Amino acid sequence: MKMGRVSRRAFAVAALSALTMMPQASAAPGGGPADDEARGDRENEDAGARGHAATGMRGMWIATVANRDFPSRTGLSAARQRAELTGLLDLAVRNRLNTVILQVRPTADALWPSPYEPWSQYLTGTQGEAPGWDPLGTAVEEAHARGLELHAWFNPYRIAGHTDPARLVASHPARRHPDWVVTYGGKMYYNPGLPEVRAFVREAMLDAVRKYPVDAVHFDDYFYPYPVAGQTFDDDAAYDAHGAGFPGRAAWRRDNIDRLVRETAAGIKAIRPAARFGISPFGVWRNAAADPLGSDTRAGVQTYDDLYADTRRWVRENWIDYICPQLYWNIGFAAADYAKLLSWWAEVARGTATRLYVGEALYKAGDPAQPAAWQDPAELSRHLALAADHAQVRGHVYFAARDVAEDRIGAMARVVADHYRQPANPSR
């Protein structure tokens, strides 16, 4: 996700800078009753534009890492923090959204009283210091009071944006288990190759599912970290201990992430069967040049090869309830065309039980550093119009709350006027 004024796609933007043209991706197999249900959802969403109730996803991310969206800064009083949070929920309602995705575990920490991990530093400015209230508990209660779904957003493996364990609170699990930690690219991560790490992060996240009636658990795009030139993610010892039977390290790493996804899904269903599990990956699985099943893109990052996240498989095998790829490019962008990726993901979701939502780069609208298309207030509205031609697309999620509030050039207002004329029912 975006940190401060830096896009959560900072790595991806750099990765897209050196690209070569590839052939059109082949269509994924599919077709079946799930598509009939999708058409019903699309008809309901279209009905919302005509003035009737709609049921598609209309979501907004609320990022807490680096105080991106909430709280606006550290050290605010509990009352001020609560007021900011409820203000963001009211913002969602005013824009006729039906879902907020709140980041509650940004860096191996918690926005609820967790027995596993410390209170987040982004609340008080001091990791481990109680803020005097329960942000996640309040968010669930207040969202539901407004008719909004609350999806709890977790980052599984990121520990810190620095490499100094001494800056972590003394009780931090990363300090108690230094063998769990890999330093890479100036940051610290839990090692996904260790079964004990996978078990720990799963239980730390599921603690929130046990305590609160969240509507969904949500992961973002960070699994193994984005590549950093000239650096190696040192998981040699874990690979030596656990990599036997795999054709290579890449296959083993993908299996580590697959296991986290499957085990988290099973844990959610065991604890709270009505809660869903969704993931918002980087928008390119593989380029067609790397795999004939890939998309007609020239991305320098591919989730399958670089993040070891087989996002296509998760959809095709129905491991998750929804996928929300970050299609953070404009229509016609040469390296990663929104229109081509939209069609590709629609084909991936065709015939599956996995719902497809689309992550939208509202933060780019009106940013002078972005291409000309993003200076047009109608660009995002055109995304929704294009998606209406794909029955598998069940809705859209906007990054992020601060940008919904600022709406620099009126792009969000245009989306609301063109597509959200009436409030939406919950997205189920």
Side-chain angles (χ1 to χ4, degrees):
M1 286 294 183
K2 192 177 176 186
M3 299 184 188
R5 290 292 177 181
V6 180
S7 167
R8 74 168 174 175
R9 294 281 55 79
F11 290 113
V13 169
L16 284 166
S17 62
L19 306 165
T20 55
M21 183 63 71
M22 301 303 170
Q24 174 67 40
S26 62
D35 294 325
D36 294 330
E37 182 185 357
R39 290 187 191 95
D41 280 0
R42 174 54 58 200
E43 289 167 3
N44 285 332
E45 185 67 13
D46 291 343
R50 295 193 300 269
H52 305 292
T55 58
M57 165 66 82
R58 302 177 183 179
M60 178 181 78
W61 279 290
I62 301 176
T64 59
V65 65
N67 299 100
R68 200 274 177 193
D69 296 318
F70 164 79
S72 59
R73 57 183 175 86
T74 61
L76 299 176
S77 68
R80 176 70 181 276
Q81 289 183 16
R82 182 187 176 103
E84 286 193 352
L85 179 59
T86 56
L88 292 175
L89 301 179
D90 291 338
L91 174 71
V93 172
R94 288 198 302 274
N95 282 273
R96 299 174 188 153
L97 306 181
N98 59 11
T99 303
V100 290
I101 303 174
L102 175 64
Q103 191 175 32
V104 298
R105 186 179 184 268
T107 52
D109 51 12
L111 268 76
W112 76 96
S114 168
Y116 295 92
E117 294 177 308
W119 280 105
S120 176
Q121 65 179 319
Y122 302 121
L123 295 170
T124 64
T126 302
Q127 189 175 68
E129 182 177 308
W133 69 302
D134 181 354
L136 176 53
T138 300
V140 173
E141 180 180 357
E142 294 292 339
H144 289 172
R146 290 162 172 77
L148 298 167
E149 286 196 2
L150 192 289
H151 294 203
W153 163 19
F154 303 85
N155 185 288
Y157 293 119
R158 182 171 57 205
I159 297 173
H162 58 77
T163 61
D164 183 3
R167 291 173 58 184
L168 304 175
V169 66
S171 61
H172 198 289
R175 293 188 66 174
R176 290 187 282 111
H177 302 278
D179 54 311
W180 290 4
V181 179
V182 177
T183 299
Y184 178 78
K187 300 177 182 180
M188 289 189 290
Y189 300 90
Y190 284 128
N191 187 345
L194 296 176
E196 57 269 35
V197 163
R198 189 171 67 248
F200 171 78
V201 299
R202 183 183 67 245
E203 290 308 305
M205 294 184 291
L206 290 177
D207 179 67
V209 181
R210 289 188 181 92
K211 289 178 176 174
Y212 307 100
V214 297
D215 296 290
V217 167
H218 183 95
F219 286 177
D220 58 22
D221 51 318
Y222 292 102
F223 297 98
Y224 279 87
Y226 279 81
V228 178
Q231 297 200 25
T232 300
F233 189 86
D234 184 7
D235 55 1
D236 287 352
Y239 182 53
D240 290 344
H242 305 289
F246 292 92
R249 192 178 305 232
W252 169 72
R253 285 178 173 176
R254 276 188 290 274
D255 184 70
N256 294 331
I257 302 304
D258 285 349
R259 287 174 184 267
L260 175 73
V261 170
R262 292 198 309 269
E263 292 166 3
T264 301
I268 295 166
K269 296 308 176 189
I271 296 166
R272 197 172 296 280
R276 294 189 288 166
F277 182 28
I279 297 178
S280 175
F282 178 69
V284 177
W285 172 70
R286 300 191 90 187
N287 297 320
D291 190 319
L293 294 176
S295 52
D296 182 14
T297 50
R298 295 174 284 129
V301 168
Q302 303 168 89
T303 63
Y304 181 92
D305 302 278
D306 298 307
L307 309 183
Y308 306 97
D310 193 352
T311 54
R312 182 182 182 278
R313 183 183 188 186
W314 305 343
V315 174
R316 299 301 299 168
E317 299 195 14
N318 300 310
W319 290 357
I320 57 179
D321 296 300
Y322 72 80
I323 196 157
C324 183
Q326 298 166 24
L327 303 191
Y328 284 178
W329 303 284
N330 56 277
I331 297 170
F333 184 65
D337 186 340
Y338 179 95
K340 291 179 179 180
L341 281 164
L342 184 74
S343 296
W344 186 87
W345 279 105
E347 289 303 314
V348 169
R350 184 187 298 277
T352 74
T354 306
R355 296 197 171 212
L356 172 61
Y357 308 135
V358 179
E360 301 286 354
L362 176 63
Y363 72 93
K364 288 187 174 181
D367 181 346
Q370 298 298 329
W374 291 107
Q375 313 312 316
D376 184 350
E379 173 68 21
L380 278 184
S381 183
R382 284 193 286 267
H383 290 193
L384 273 68
L386 188 63
D389 294 331
H390 297 276
Q392 294 77 29
V393 179
R394 316 290 188 90
H396 304 259
V397 183
Y398 303 93
F399 194 82
R402 187 178 68 199
D403 307 282
V404 174
E406 292 180 0
D407 200 15
R408 284 172 291 194
I409 58 172
M412 191 68 203
R414 180 69 176 266
V415 165
V416 173
D418 290 349
H419 303 280
Y420 300 162
R421 297 179 190 169
Q422 293 294 320
N425 293 325
S427 62
R428 293 179 184 272

